[in-house]
Amino acid sequence: MIKVTLVKSTIGEVESVKATVASLGLKKIRSSKTFEDSPALQGKLKKVAHLVKAENV
């Protein structure tokens, strides 16, 4: 399991990055979600690595 937390705002980011953060279900700064690890999740995290913190649970 991977816990993903939004630590930086999406203001000023391109639409594709905003859409990726929204697809992760993160809306506000410090909001968190837990996911099963998968290749699709890893790709999303790589795209938004500068905005989120990911940690193993």
Side-chain angles (χ1 to χ4, degrees):
M1 299 290 282
I2 297 179
K3 181 179 179 183
V4 181
T5 305
L6 186 63
V7 294
K8 192 170 179 228
S9 173
T10 59
I11 294 174
E13 296 293 334
V14 295
E15 284 299 318
S16 62
V17 171
K18 289 181 182 182
T20 303
V21 170
S23 73
L24 290 170
L26 304 173
K27 296 181 179 172
K28 295 183 177 182
I29 295 176
R30 290 188 300 277
S31 63
S32 298
K33 285 258 184 157
T34 305
F35 300 96
E36 290 289 335
D37 194 11
S38 69
L41 178 64
Q42 292 299 324
K44 290 178 183 181
L45 292 178
K46 189 172 184 176
K47 183 167 188 161
V48 298
H50 59 290
L51 300 176
V52 300
K53 178 177 75 168
E55 55 191 79
N56 289 326
V57 177

